[in-house]
């Protein structure tokens, strides 16, 4: 396993990590979740990602039980949660001080740990002053309940606003952002975050395989039974993911994967890993075999020569460019 610094912080995170969205507490059984975490850990993965909204808390419960059962030394792994969607009542959501503190307490209880290594604001809250959120995060840091706080899907300007407020209050600025980043979602990561990167921000990127599309499993136009895009209740995700233009580009990039002799999934993950602003690629898996395949992506990075990258770029035709006014 390769370890990368989380931005300019002193924290080392494995280049591949494991997330639990849709899978833990919902799509897969607890035994499979346990196998996934054990294999991940045995292969050097040190970061497990979670959120209060995942399976409405059940994902954290499943992960917490596994962490307890495994009995790994607490200093050998990182675990996260995210705050924003905790319930339907007015103060069970957003980034107000009450919910930020209560969601942390709930995550600690469900995960059965004394502190969270990373705590993310799952989205930007337009109804809470940023100073209130920064102060709440500082409280949790001072209490030792969280070690690093960060954002998820915030714009570069919103992140810099948080930096500025934290600095002006002599408090801790956000350390990391959790954005979507893959061959089809590039604008924020490659352009919008230039200033946060300069300020030292690290990234824990999500949906590196665009929910499985970039494995090539949807290339023939069918939706395999049991796959994520066939799941009941996720029709919105199917509609957002299965765009004909993206399927066609995936078909073409799959040919490049075949030329260099690797599965499409590994090529797509390696493409993310190649970007130096990626601190860790969060993997998702519903089966052990998928995780085992994906873990080999690190070996594929060296196969992505300039020539191969250019061929991929020529297919994707979506390299974001900076707009100059
Ligand atoms: P991916 O885009 O990598 O999708 C993972 C899914 O793709 C798997 O569950 C599986 O679904 C399929 N898959 C993975 N590998 C293979 C393979 N080798 N062969 C065939 N199918 C494969 O990542 P996720 O969307 O799961 O995101 C990863 C993590 O990021 C999440 O668990 C979560 O922790 C985080 N996240 C954060 C968000 C945020 O807003 N901050 C939003 C979303 C995710 P299946 O078998 O069911 O088809």
């Amino acid at each position: 396993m390769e370890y990368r610094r989380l931005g300019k912080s002193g924290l080392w995170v494995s280049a591949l990590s494991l997330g639990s969205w849709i899978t833990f507490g919902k799509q897969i059984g607890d035994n499979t979740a346990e196998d996934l975490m054990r294999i991940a850990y045995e292969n050097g993965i040190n970061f497990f990602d979670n959120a209060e909204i995942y399976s409405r808390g059940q994902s954290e419960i499943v992960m917490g039980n596994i962490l307890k059962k495994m009995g790994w030394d607490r200093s050998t792994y990182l675990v996260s949660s995210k705050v924003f969607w905790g319930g339907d009542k007015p103060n069970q959501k957003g980034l107000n001080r009450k919910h930020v503190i209560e969601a942390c307490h709930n995550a600690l209880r469900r995960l059965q740990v004394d502190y969270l290594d990373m705590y993310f604001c799952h989205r930007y809250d337009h109804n809470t002053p940023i100073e209130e959120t920064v102060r709440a995060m500082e409280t949790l840091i001072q209490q030792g309940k969280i070690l690093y706080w960060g954002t998820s899907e915030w714009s570069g300007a919103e992140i810099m606003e948080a930096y500025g407020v934290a600095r002006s209050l002599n408090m801790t600025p956000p350390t990391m952002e959790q954005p979507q980043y893959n061959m089809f979602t590039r604008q924020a990561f490659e352009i919008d975050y230039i200033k946060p990167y300069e300020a030292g921000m690290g990234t824990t990127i999500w949906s590196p395989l665009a929910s499985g599309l970039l494995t090539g499993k949807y290339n023939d136009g069918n939706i395999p039974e049991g796959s994520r895009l066939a799941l009941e209740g996720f029709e919105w995700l199917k509609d957002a993911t299965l765009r004909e233009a993206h399927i066609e580009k995936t078909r073409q990039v799959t040919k490049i994967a075949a030329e260099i002799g690797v599965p499409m999934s590994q090529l797509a993950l390696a493409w993310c890993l190649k970007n130096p602003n990626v601190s860790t690629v969060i993997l998702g898996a519903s089966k052990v075999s998928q995780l085992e395949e994906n873990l080999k992506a690190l070996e594929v990075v060296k196969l992505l020569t300039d020539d191969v990258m250019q061929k991929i770029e020529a297919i994707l035709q979506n390299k974001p460019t900076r707009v100059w006014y």
Side-chain angles (χ1 to χ4, degrees):
M1 181 54 65
E2 174 192 333
Y3 297 89
R4 297 182 179 185
R5 272 176 68 192
L6 186 62
K8 289 183 186 154
S9 81
L11 191 71
W12 292 89
V13 61
S14 48
L16 296 172
S17 44
L18 182 68
S20 55
W21 179 52
I22 300 183
T23 50
F24 284 40
K26 192 174 280 181
Q27 185 190 7
I28 64 175
D30 296 356
N31 289 339
T32 305
E34 182 180 322
D35 288 345
L36 290 171
M37 282 184 66
R38 186 176 38 74
I39 290 165
Y41 185 82
E42 284 170 0
N43 280 276
I45 282 183
N46 74 351
F47 169 40
F48 300 103
D49 186 60
N50 223 317
E52 62 170 343
I53 184 66
Y54 294 173
S55 305
R56 300 227 160 227
Q58 194 57 32
S59 171
E60 291 179 334
I61 290 173
V62 171
M63 189 174 277
N65 287 338
I66 296 168
L67 288 173
K68 189 173 179 193
K69 184 172 171 189
M70 293 295 149
W72 298 320
D73 188 324
R74 184 66 184 86
S75 62
T76 62
Y77 67 85
L78 312 168
V79 65
S80 74
S81 184
K82 306 186 201 84
V83 50
F84 198 90
W85 294 287
D88 300 328
K89 298 271 195 287
N91 289 313
Q92 293 177 322
K93 52 194 165 198
L95 300 179
N96 62 72
R97 183 176 183 84
K98 180 173 168 65
H99 187 54
V100 167
I101 303 280
E102 287 176 350
C104 178
H105 290 166
N106 289 336
L108 292 176
R109 182 174 41 77
R110 289 190 291 250
L111 286 163
Q112 304 180 60
V113 290
D114 296 327
Y115 59 90
L116 301 171
D117 300 276
M118 296 184 224
Y119 192 40
F120 295 89
C121 299
H122 213 154
R123 291 294 181 269
Y124 186 81
D125 182 357
H126 293 274
N127 295 309
T128 300
I130 190 97
E131 182 176 332
E132 182 174 334
T133 306
V134 168
R135 285 186 184 277
M137 289 297 178
E138 186 67 17
T139 299
L140 291 170
I141 288 173
Q142 295 301 335
Q143 292 176 339
K145 290 174 183 163
I146 64 171
L147 304 189
Y148 298 85
W149 80 275
T151 57
S152 180
E153 291 293 322
W154 285 29
S155 70
E158 289 160 352
I159 294 167
M160 291 316 293
E161 187 191 355
Y163 260 89
V165 169
R167 288 286 182 222
S168 72
L169 297 169
N170 208 15
M171 291 182 179
T172 314
T175 295
M176 65 286 171
E177 154 69 30
Q178 186 167 125
Q180 180 171 186
Y181 185 53
N182 57 49
M183 286 183 181
F184 297 129
T185 306
R186 303 175 62 177
Q187 181 68 31
F189 196 88
E190 294 183 25
I191 299 290
D192 194 32
Y193 292 157
I194 289 174
K195 275 199 190 302
Y197 294 143
E198 284 168 8
M201 184 182 83
T203 61
T204 67
I205 67 153
W206 62 267
S207 285
L209 295 174
S211 275
L213 176 70
L214 285 164
T215 64
K217 69 205 263 183
Y218 300 100
N219 278 3
D220 62 6
N222 295 321
I223 303 178
E225 205 181 319
S227 63
R228 178 178 292 183
L229 301 185
L231 293 179
E232 216 182 298
F234 289 90
E235 292 75 16
W236 61 273
L237 188 60
K238 183 184 79 175
D239 294 343
T241 308
L242 287 186
R243 298 193 217 160
E244 187 46 44
H246 287 181
I247 299 172
E248 181 49 31
K249 286 179 182 182
T250 307
R251 285 187 194 117
Q252 292 181 42
V253 180
T254 305
K255 288 183 194 155
I256 296 185
E259 277 170 28
I260 61 170
V262 299
M264 178 60 207
S265 53
Q266 290 174 8
L267 174 68
L269 294 169
W271 182 90
C272 295
L273 284 164
K274 199 170 162 69
N275 189 316
N277 288 317
V278 170
S279 312
T280 184
V281 171
I282 312 179
L283 302 174
S286 67
K287 297 184 181 75
V288 163
S289 56
Q290 294 175 352
L291 178 62
E292 286 171 339
E293 177 171 285
N294 298 350
L295 278 164
K296 296 193 190 113
L298 277 162
E299 295 159 29
V300 174
V301 179
K302 61 177 179 291
L303 304 180
L304 298 188
T305 58
D306 290 350
D307 181 46
V308 173
M309 289 298 275
Q310 275 164 21
K311 281 187 188 164
I312 295 171
E313 208 65 82
I315 294 168
L316 296 179
Q317 294 282 332
N318 62 359
K319 190 173 176 59
T321 48
R322 216 167 171 175
V323 179
W324 299 99
Y325 296 99

